[in-house]
Amino acid sequence: MSAPTRALAFIAPARDRVDRLVSPVTSRVTRWRDERLAEPKHGDRVAAILGIALGACFMICFVTGLLSHLIQHPPTWFTWTARPAGLYRVTQGLHVATGVASIPLLFAKLWSVFPRLFQWPLFKDPLHLLERLSLLPLVGGAIFLVVTGVANIELWYPWVFFFPAGHYAIAIVTMGALFIHVYAKIRITRRVLRRGAIEPAVTVEPTRVGGGRRQFIGVAVASSAGLVLATVGQTISPLRKISILAPRRPDTGVQGFPVNKTAIEAGVTNTAQDPNYSVIVQRGSTMLRTFTIDEIRAMPMRTATLPIACVEGWSANRVWTGVQVRALVELAGGGDVGQVSVESLQRGGRYRRSILNRGEYTDEDTLLAVMVDGESLAPDHGYPLRLIAPNRPGVLQTKWVTKLVLS
Ligand SMILES: Nc1nc2c(c(=O)[nH]1)N[C@H]1C(S)=C(S)[C@@H](COP(=O)(O)O)O[C@H]1N2
Ligand SMILES: [Mo]
């Protein structure tokens, strides 16, 4: 006897008892289910096509999300690079766009396959049981991910948990469940797609045939595309006018682009205006040199066009002028530097500090900027000095920089 067969012999009596217990209701439910499944919009082809569209969105969303997570919390084996400068902008734009696209597809798919939940016996064998149980983390996880993701891009944090950690952990569980689901459904998906015919999942005389399959898929896909168009202007600037649902638009805010954390929120309104503002460069806890803000302003300046690409999906290209981080490190006599920790005046908060690895801090366009688009930085954008570096999540573009710690 194989292991699954032995397991089944063990659990089958319990399953059959449950089935007997619910049988008075199940016969009526079965009839309702079979009527639904006879409608094309509850059929196998809809399930397969929406499944593929949704699976593709989830895959892109997962890979780009994983990348963003690795960049922000790099394990020892992972090194992010400063080039190409706009890559993160594209990957994170895709992350949010595919997440948004999956919302209508997810609800259409759930609505379409809902009658299939009602099956008797509850499961045929242990593998079938596993597949059915995996629907719980799959559906629950998918809903959790889109709800928390949307709340996040809307800058709404009603959660008790730390968003990136919770979103990441549930993504891993959901993708595991998706793997099981794809494995379980791949044969039937291939079959219905190859057949091409419109065949209902169950052949019974339909009492009521609802709208067609094509219309149903059409509405789902069009809603998905519409929702993407209504938000993607937050990163694809030419589309900003039609992106009426975009939480942020790249052309709105102080100096013509969004502000993540204001100077008031960061508690730096007075300290950032101090005429004695200075930047300390130290190696570990050993002080190497202090630059006053006037010394920095008198240094050779470099100008570069670089995006701010927020994790929340909005991004904007701007022209920045400032001093190269590598020049400051050299002037301070930094010597052989593995990484640079860039620290803010801001006292608390998770984003008061970010790390530049060797490739990042040595890049010619990694700057402590004093100007944006030819104007002195506004307080909310990090006056008098902020980090701006190529190919970097917005959360790592530290504002109100006052210290560099080399190690
Ligand atoms: N000190 C500090 N710097 C910070 C942040 C912060 O909270 N504190 N937020 C970051 C985030 S999340 C983004 S997207 C960018 C946005 O820069 P901007 O406000 O100038 O557009 O600043 C980053 N720099
Ligand atoms: Mo951000």
Side-chain angles (χ1 to χ4, degrees):
M1 242 195 318
S2 72
T5 324
R6 241 179 297 138
L8 183 61
F10 187 68
I11 44 183
R15 177 200 64 188
D16 294 340
R17 212 169 308 132
V18 173
D19 279 339
R20 265 199 308 282
L21 210 67
V22 294
S23 68
V25 220
T26 52
S27 53
R28 286 169 64 189
V29 175
T30 306
R31 194 178 143 71
W32 165 84
R33 176 201 67 195
D34 288 346
E35 283 169 13
R36 296 288 84 70
L37 291 183
E39 298 174 27
K41 50 183 193 263
H42 291 290
D44 286 340
R45 268 178 79 74
V46 168
I49 291 168
L50 288 180
I52 289 171
L54 200 52
C57 285
F58 270 31
M59 253 346 266
I60 299 174
C61 202
F62 180 63
V63 171
T64 50
L66 207 55
L67 179 68
S68 184
H69 191 85
L70 288 173
I71 300 169
Q72 289 174 67
H73 313 276
T76 48
W77 52 266
F78 182 86
T79 308
W80 187 233
T81 60
R83 300 286 160 171
L87 180 61
Y88 183 77
R89 188 183 188 189
V90 174
T91 64
Q92 195 62 10
L94 266 176
H95 179 71
V96 173
T98 48
V100 165
S102 67
I103 299 168
L105 297 175
L106 178 63
F107 286 104
K109 165 98 181 177
L110 290 179
W111 186 83
S112 165
V113 299
F114 179 67
R116 293 160 195 259
L117 261 188
F118 305 93
Q119 291 179 12
W120 293 273
L122 284 171
F123 53 89
K124 294 198 279 281
D125 54 53
L127 282 181
H128 184 222
L129 174 64
L130 175 70
E131 185 259 306
R132 298 205 75 194
L133 285 178
S134 75
L135 293 176
L136 206 70
L138 179 61
V139 175
I143 292 175
F144 174 90
L145 291 172
V146 296
V147 170
T148 55
V150 166
N152 187 249
I153 62 177
E154 294 289 350
L155 310 179
W156 183 50
Y157 301 92
W159 333 108
V160 284
F161 56 86
F162 174 43
F163 169 79
H167 199 70
Y168 169 74
I170 298 296
I172 302 282
V173 173
T174 309
M175 291 311 281
L178 181 60
F179 239 72
I180 297 176
H181 188 69
V182 169
Y183 180 77
K185 299 294 182 187
I186 194 132
R187 282 176 54 206
I188 173 128
T189 303
R190 282 227 194 90
R191 199 168 349 112
V192 292
L193 292 184
R194 214 181 299 128
R195 209 192 297 134
I198 314 160
E199 273 183 51
V202 175
T203 24
V204 291
E205 208 50 47
T207 49
R208 177 170 61 87
V209 175
R213 172 175 56 85
R214 256 169 234 265
Q215 287 96 308
F216 184 73
I217 295 176
V219 168
V221 171
S223 316
S224 168
L227 209 53
V228 169
L229 278 179
T231 48
V232 81
Q234 64 177 334
T235 184
I236 302 178
S237 201
L239 294 178
R240 65 185 185 275
K241 291 266 152 59
I242 58 167
S243 281
I244 47 176
L245 294 180
R248 301 294 194 87
R249 289 193 359 197
D251 59 344
T252 53
V254 185
Q255 294 183 312
F257 64 108
V259 169
N260 173 272
K261 188 163 231 99
T262 64
I264 292 178
E265 285 165 351
V268 298
T269 31
N270 295 327
T271 42
Q273 303 296 331
D274 186 346
N276 297 320
Y277 190 101
S278 61
V279 177
I280 301 170
V281 182
Q282 55 190 57
R283 172 175 275 281
S285 49
T286 315
M287 165 93 88
L288 293 179
R289 183 164 169 181
T290 302
F291 297 90
T292 66
I293 192 67
D294 288 331
E295 281 175 302
I296 288 178
R297 288 183 182 128
M299 281 174 62
M301 292 281 152
R302 183 174 173 86
T303 294
T305 303
L306 294 171
I308 289 241
C310 181
V311 172
E312 283 138 17
W314 65 267
S315 61
N317 247 337
R318 283 294 174 273
V319 181
W320 307 90
T321 304
V323 294
Q324 290 177 320
V325 170
R326 69 182 188 197
L328 276 183
V329 170
E330 209 178 293
L331 276 175
D336 188 32
V337 176
Q339 65 172 45
V340 178
S341 166
V342 180
E343 302 185 12
S344 172
L345 269 186
Q346 187 189 346
R347 290 271 168 72
R350 270 175 208 282
Y351 304 120
R352 62 166 305 277
R353 197 175 88 100
S354 72
I355 305 286
L356 292 163
N357 65 33
R358 185 194 287 270
E360 291 168 328
Y361 96 81
T362 53
D363 191 281
E364 56 183 6
D365 286 342
T366 294
L367 308 175
L368 292 184
V370 295
M371 291 205 284
V372 62
D373 295 334
E375 293 173 20
S376 173
L377 288 172
D380 287 346
H381 286 305
Y383 176 90
L385 203 62
R386 66 107 33 93
L387 174 67
I388 185 80
N391 199 23
R392 201 167 168 76
V395 289
L396 304 181
Q397 307 279 29
T398 313
K399 302 194 277 194
W400 314 289
V401 172
T402 191
K403 195 191 270 186
L404 301 181
V405 181
L406 320 180
S407 54

